[in-house]
Amino acid sequence: MPRDFADAAGSRSDLVIGREESFGAAREQLTRGGSVLLHGPAGIGKSTVLRALAAEYAPTAHTVLRCSATESESHLPFLALADLLGLVLDEVSPALPAAQRTALESALTGRGESTLQRDGLALRLAVLSALRALAVAGPVLVVADDLQWLDPASAELLGFAARRLGDTPVRLLCAVRTEGPETEDAEYDRQLRASPPDTRAVRLGPLTRAQVSTLLDGRGYAGLHRSTVRDIHRTSGGNPLFALELGRALAESPAAPRPGEPLPVPTSLRALVLSRLEMLSDEARRTLLVASAGARPTPALLHAAGRENAETETAQAAALGLLAPDPEGPTVRFAHPLISAALYAEAPAPERRAAHAALSTAASDPIERARHLALATTGTDPRVAARLAQAAALARDRGAPSVAASLGLLAARHTPADGTPGPDERRLTAAEDAITAGEQDLARDVAREVLTRATAPGERVRAWMAVIEAAGQAIGEVDAVFPQALADAGDDPRLLALVHYQLAWRSLVVQGDFAQGREEAAHAARLAARAGDRRTELLALAFQAQSETLMGHPDAPATIQRALQEPQDPRVACHHNGAGSSRFRWLVMSDRLAEARSTVTALLREVRRRGMAESEVHYLRFLAETELHSGHCGRALELSRESLTLARDAGLGEGAGAMQAALAEAAGGDPDRALELAREAVRRAEGDGDAVYLSRALAALGHAHLAAGDAAAAVRVLRRVRELEAGAGITDPARGRWQGDLAEALVRTGEPAEAMDVIEVTRAHALRLGRQSVLAVLDRSEALVRAARGEHRAAVARLTSARERLAGLGFGLEEARAVFALAELHAERPGRSPESASYDEAARLFRRCRALPWLRRVEAAVAARAAGAPAVPAVEPDGLAGLAAMERQVASLVMEGATNREIAARLFVSVKTVEATLTRVYRKLGIRSRVDIVRLAAGRRPD
């Protein structure tokens, strides 16, 4: 942009005009040691504010790391990471473990294999360790502009580290472009979730007309008519960058516009840029065109592309304000990305092709060379198409399926109609890459396009499969596809195998019929074996094994072994619907938690290496499930939140992610949040018509109700789960592990007979299948039944035995729950046993698990015993029924006479949180004070 823009960072008047509140909020956050995310549309002033804040706070930091991405280079893995850490690599390397150091050096230098192919975890930890190592010497400030164009690999690594920095003195000062209200919130929310937890988002919006007038006056464009300023404001949309350029163009115009006439300049930055390009020599303009076409233009690249006088010509452009100096290196940096886009768009097509042709040999990266070759070529060319297909395969191997999809579509465009493979075959390959990358919308659109013209059965069935895969859990929405796919498949066993494999999923998801799904999968496996399609055979066998495992079918172990036999397809082996996933599920249900953890960790590492977005979402969730069973509630909460974040970003498996996050929140986080997430999971399952996850989502909701102390609600929900699973033929209680919760809730609502029925029916299945952890939990539940019947000695024996068995199996949280139940049982007969020691042991185990909601329940029980009140009221006052879980807890403690400070200490929240919660309680109950709550407890109506 013009020189004035380059100097804008140093101009305080520019910053304060219309930016006082935003700048002040960001300054306050940075002063507190927090991080800031600036967001708004292009040209709104984000980079200017970012540079000014960085200049102001850089002296307070020992190390300042910078990166600024561009759209054209966003597909190059680790580029932003190199910008951030390249200059400090030698400084931090000695502080890193060998594996992390090797991974980081490989990523930053490009030497050796991609680290994502070997050990993505090492690289993630290396970035985190590097930031921590830098912070040892003093505070670190990370300045990152244009986050929306950060290459995905760098964005993931930076987000991974940011979420785990904790109290480490590292601040992030970032800016992200958000275009339009329909995408703005989603984009900055996505970036905010990848930032440190204390990040403050600061939005930069358009200026008012008065602010535009002040801005123009301050920059020397005073004296303009009010109507002209109004036109400038309207034309610029309040964008300060556009407004200043329009003001500049008007000041340079020989004649002012007449009132009512349009401005004598184009109404977009693109046109203004082109007027400045006319001041360049033809050769300089060609050099800038090559730079605009390149992913990361440098003088060396421009020389290799034939621009012999690149330095002189870029200096001329810089003098006109078209280029800005890059303090971090020799990159040819446009003052604004729109300049590059405008330059490229206005260049004649032959000149653009010539620029790409030069770059197709000058670029060092083979993927980049292939892309330039495609853009330099018109029409079909089998040689170019083959190069692009090879580049797509390379991108796929690098773990960049999204890049592979775009290259595949370019390959299809250059493939002759009679080529082998044909253009539609390459489009379908691109669609499959898009599905791997989590770009379901692109995959569906490509497949639908192919279906409009394809006549070959193989291509049509493959396209139908892409449409079905793109539907995800909402497979019921494409129900009409199946008859068409079967018709196209004819009697071809290979094609029929593909269709019947998807029919197996339909039986499971839409109809909730596990037996039918198993039969369809077995049929698909036989068809695929007859056709020699090992990939489909493996997928079908894995599905069959999964169904049998969940059904409690005795053939499940044998089917898993068949699915694991060689030869294997590497992508199927690590896919979330492959044999590895089936084996993981069997291990978890068989109480082999250590093996399950190592299995899913290896699978997660592999799908991350391959860039398999949907599988990564599922495996993070699976790992969270394993950690939760093991009693590692903090780790489970972290993993489930990460899985849900990825699911929301990609629009994949959000219902399943919400379900697992609800369980983790109930165990180690916020019970109210657990209820919110569980309800979301139920809504999504019902909306998708997903019978598979509906019962699991309801089980999570029932558990969340029980954890929040609402046994009656838990009973209502879990009874429905029991009906659903009985109808679906699910007999293995280790699938959802909700039976113990239902029995406990039934005891608490005064229905021990039904609780015992649940226990006996479930125990029969658990004994048949050898589900030892389920049996131990059932014994814990039976102890509650026996206690309710007055059989104290038998109850204690059951609980003691259950605790020992759960400890031996490694189910830490369930063990702690057994100890807590034992403490409550002792508390009912205080003369018989040392109840305080029992409560202390329960508290110790819950602390070890980081099960904070359960720990609060122990603290509340101890406090209630000390005050002479029952630990768990037999009947909750009717007036509290409509309150949220936290509100009920606070109100109940008020009824016991606890002060706000005491309540805060017991519930591990702040006094302000207690005060805010009480305000909501007063509003909901229509009362005015704590005295009114006490009156409710006494059964009296408040005055």
Side-chain angles (χ1 to χ4, degrees):
M1 289 313 301
R3 186 186 305 278
D4 297 36
F5 290 126
D7 298 337
S11 175
R12 288 293 309 147
S13 61
D14 285 351
L15 288 175
V16 298
I17 296 172
R19 298 292 177 236
E20 298 86 350
E21 183 177 351
S22 300
F23 196 84
R27 178 193 286 118
E28 179 185 355
Q29 177 72 357
L30 290 169
T31 300
R32 289 202 305 261
S35 297
V36 172
L37 176 67
L38 304 171
H39 64 100
I44 207 68
K46 301 181 301 300
S47 296
T48 300
V49 174
L50 184 83
R51 288 194 296 267
L53 286 167
E56 183 171 330
Y57 285 92
T60 68
H62 182 271
T63 305
V64 180
L65 307 176
R66 300 175 186 267
C67 73
S68 183
T70 63
E71 186 175 16
S72 60
E73 62 192 27
S74 61
H75 66 286
L76 297 176
F78 307 123
L79 199 56
L81 184 66
D83 288 342
L84 286 172
L85 299 178
L87 297 180
V88 297
L89 180 60
D90 292 340
E91 180 181 346
V92 300
S93 287
L96 303 183
Q100 295 180 22
R101 181 169 61 250
T102 301
L104 187 60
E105 289 174 351
S106 177
L108 297 186
T109 63
R111 295 191 295 269
E113 297 178 9
S114 166
T115 53
L116 284 180
Q117 293 182 9
R118 295 198 311 271
D119 193 353
L121 179 61
L123 182 54
R124 289 170 175 81
L125 294 176
V127 175
L128 178 60
S129 300
L131 291 174
R132 286 173 172 165
L134 290 170
V136 170
V140 177
L141 179 65
V142 178
V143 183
D145 202 359
D146 287 321
L147 287 184
Q148 74 278 0
W149 289 331
L150 227 62
D151 64 276
S154 297
E156 179 184 351
L157 295 171
L158 185 59
F160 177 91
R163 292 189 297 271
R164 292 163 174 81
L165 287 169
D167 295 331
T168 306
V170 177
R171 289 176 291 176
L172 269 67
L173 174 58
C174 306
V176 60
R177 175 182 294 186
T178 49
E179 297 289 357
E182 63 278 359
T183 61
E184 179 169 320
D185 288 345
E187 175 61 24
Y188 105 81
D189 274 344
R190 183 173 70 85
Q191 297 295 346
L192 194 60
R193 289 194 297 271
S195 303
D198 65 344
T199 299
R200 180 167 184 172
V202 178
R203 181 181 182 274
L204 302 182
L207 302 181
T208 66
R209 185 170 68 183
Q211 289 168 343
V212 166
S213 178
T214 304
L215 177 65
L216 292 168
D217 288 347
R219 295 302 296 270
Y221 308 130
L224 295 172
H225 294 164
R226 292 184 62 185
S227 60
T228 303
V229 173
R230 184 188 63 230
D231 289 343
I232 289 175
H233 178 254
R234 184 182 65 249
T235 302
S236 69
N239 185 302
L241 180 66
F242 291 179
L244 286 173
E245 277 302 279
L246 288 168
R248 183 195 300 276
L250 281 170
E252 294 174 353
S253 176
R258 296 176 181 178
E261 289 184 352
L263 297 176
V265 291
T267 58
S268 68
L269 178 61
R270 171 180 166 182
L272 288 170
V273 170
L274 294 175
S275 70
R276 295 188 169 277
L277 290 174
E278 294 175 358
M279 304 172 66
L280 287 173
S281 66
D282 290 342
E283 290 302 309
R285 186 165 178 165
R286 291 192 185 97
T287 295
L288 287 193
L289 175 60
V290 174
S292 71
R296 188 175 175 81
T298 62
L301 178 65
L302 295 176
H303 277 292
R307 308 310 304 166
E308 298 178 356
N309 299 314
E311 287 86 353
T312 302
E313 290 156 357
T314 54
Q316 181 187 356
L320 292 170
L322 294 167
L323 299 178
D326 188 343
E328 303 301 326
T331 305
V332 176
R333 180 184 177 86
F334 286 90
H336 193 284
L338 291 177
I339 301 172
S340 174
L343 172 66
Y344 183 86
E346 288 300 311
E351 290 188 15
R352 292 202 300 265
R353 289 196 295 272
H356 285 296
L359 289 168
S360 69
T361 58
S364 59
D365 186 80
I367 293 176
E368 192 64 18
R369 289 199 300 271
R371 185 179 73 88
H372 286 302
L373 179 61
L375 296 173
T377 307
T378 58
T380 60
D381 187 323
R383 180 182 63 88
V384 173
R387 284 273 301 276
L388 285 163
Q390 292 169 0
L394 179 58
R396 195 177 302 122
D397 290 340
R398 287 183 180 180
S402 181
V403 175
S406 63
L407 291 169
L409 292 175
L410 279 174
R413 185 186 307 170
H414 289 285
T415 300
D418 58 351
T420 303
D424 281 342
E425 187 173 347
R426 282 184 165 145
R427 288 186 181 92
L428 290 171
T429 300
E432 290 158 359
D433 282 327
I435 289 173
T436 300
E439 298 175 8
Q440 267 68 8
D441 290 345
L442 173 62
R444 182 179 58 249
D445 291 346
V446 170
R448 293 284 189 187
E449 178 193 350
V450 170
L451 286 166
T452 61
R453 58 176 173 270
T455 58
E459 289 184 350
R460 291 189 61 80
V461 171
R462 191 176 171 192
W464 289 127
M465 296 304 99
V467 171
I468 295 169
E469 288 277 358
Q473 294 299 118
I475 193 172
E477 295 179 2
V478 294
D479 220 21
V481 163
F482 288 98
Q484 300 176 68
L486 282 170
D488 285 331
D491 58 1
D492 186 325
R494 181 180 63 84
L495 301 181
L496 284 171
L498 292 170
V499 180
H500 281 282
Y501 171 68
Q502 294 296 346
L503 281 169
W505 279 107
R506 178 185 177 279
S507 297
L508 198 63
V509 174
V510 178
Q511 298 174 309
D513 191 334
F514 278 72
Q516 179 63 30
R518 174 180 178 268
E519 290 301 319
E520 289 284 4
H523 184 43
R526 289 191 296 269
L527 288 167
R530 197 168 80 202
D533 181 357
R534 183 61 173 165
R535 180 181 184 278
T536 303
E537 182 187 8
L538 289 169
L539 284 169
L541 286 171
F543 181 98
Q544 181 182 343
Q546 186 101 317
S547 299
E548 291 172 349
T549 298
L550 297 177
M551 293 169 63
H553 196 286
D555 290 348
T559 307
I560 291 174
Q561 288 304 314
R562 288 177 60 201
L564 291 170
Q565 287 175 357
E566 297 293 341
Q568 284 288 319
D569 181 308
R571 288 184 175 274
V572 173
C574 66
H575 194 274
H576 62 277
N577 289 328
S581 176
S582 298
R583 182 172 183 272
F584 161 79
R585 177 58 54 203
W586 182 82
L587 288 169
V588 167
M589 294 174 68
S590 300
D591 300 332
R592 294 161 65 171
L593 296 182
E595 289 180 73
R597 182 184 294 106
S598 61
T599 296
V600 74
T601 300
L603 290 167
L604 179 60
R605 183 184 303 117
E606 181 63 12
V607 298
R608 279 175 165 166
R609 184 184 75 81
R610 293 179 178 275
M612 299 169 69
E614 186 173 7
S615 292
E616 180 179 1
V617 168
H618 284 284
Y619 286 140
L620 280 169
R621 179 168 57 82
F622 291 175
L623 186 54
E625 177 186 352
T626 308
E627 298 295 357
L628 193 57
H629 287 322
S630 301
H632 305 152
C633 299
R635 176 64 173 152
L637 188 61
E638 181 181 89
L639 288 164
S640 63
R641 287 173 175 173
E642 184 178 357
S643 174
L644 184 57
T645 297
L646 290 177
R648 295 202 194 288
D649 287 345
L652 301 167
E654 293 180 70
M659 176 270 296
Q660 185 60 48
L663 294 171
E665 290 285 353
D670 181 352
D672 287 339
R673 177 65 175 155
L675 286 166
E676 178 185 338
L677 286 166
R679 291 188 180 108
E680 177 191 344
V682 172
R683 286 195 304 271
R684 288 186 178 278
E686 290 177 335
D688 291 341
D690 184 352
V692 174
Y693 273 107
L694 178 57
S695 63
R696 295 203 65 187
L698 287 167
L701 179 58
H703 177 79
H705 278 306
L706 183 62
D710 192 343
V715 167
R716 288 194 299 272
V717 173
L718 294 175
R719 277 174 175 161
R720 186 181 173 195
V721 177
R722 191 181 188 190
E723 293 172 2
L724 286 172
E725 294 206 349
I730 300 171
T731 61
D732 193 331
R735 186 225 181 196
R737 299 177 184 269
W738 50 266
Q739 295 85 353
D741 284 345
L742 176 55
E744 179 177 338
L746 285 166
V747 172
R748 295 192 181 281
T749 55
E751 300 174 84
E754 185 181 346
M756 202 62 213
D757 178 66
V758 171
I759 292 168
E760 289 173 350
V761 170
T762 306
R763 181 176 283 143
H765 292 302
L767 285 168
R768 173 175 60 86
L769 297 167
R771 303 303 190 222
Q772 295 302 318
S773 63
V774 174
L775 290 168
V777 168
L778 291 174
D779 279 355
R780 185 185 69 202
S781 301
E782 184 178 345
L784 300 180
V785 175
R786 291 183 178 275
R789 293 173 176 172
E791 302 171 17
H792 183 81
R793 188 184 301 276
V796 170
R798 288 274 181 180
L799 284 173
T800 303
S801 172
R803 182 258 173 101
E804 292 172 353
R805 286 147 58 204
L806 288 166
L809 292 168
F811 281 73
L813 182 59
E814 298 294 354
E815 176 197 358
R817 287 180 63 181
V819 173
F820 184 31
L822 194 59
E824 290 181 304
L825 192 59
H826 288 327
E828 295 176 4
R829 299 162 67 94
R832 305 235 177 172
S833 55
E835 68 202 58
S836 60
S838 297
Y839 277 127
D840 287 345
E841 176 67 0
R844 183 186 70 81
L845 291 176
F846 283 133
R847 284 194 190 95
R848 185 183 69 181
C849 294
R850 289 181 59 190
L852 298 183
W854 288 97
L855 184 59
R856 291 172 192 143
R857 291 182 62 173
V858 174
E859 298 287 350
V862 171
R865 292 296 302 170
V872 180
V875 180
E876 189 179 64
D878 293 340
L880 305 187
L883 300 181
M886 176 62 78
E887 294 165 353
R888 285 198 304 274
Q889 287 179 310
V890 170
S892 297
L893 290 171
V894 169
M895 292 175 181
E896 296 173 15
T899 66
N900 286 2
R901 188 171 298 279
E902 290 170 341
I903 294 171
R906 292 189 196 179
L907 299 183
F908 295 89
V909 296
S910 68
V911 174
K912 285 188 176 180
T913 299
V914 174
E915 293 170 349
T917 303
L918 276 174
T919 299
R920 294 196 300 272
V921 169
Y922 297 157
R923 185 175 65 251
K924 288 183 178 181
L925 298 182
I927 59 179
R928 291 169 295 182
S929 69
R930 297 167 62 94
V931 174
D932 290 336
I933 295 180
V934 176
R935 286 173 175 159
L936 279 176
R940 288 182 282 134
R941 193 175 184 82
D943 296 335

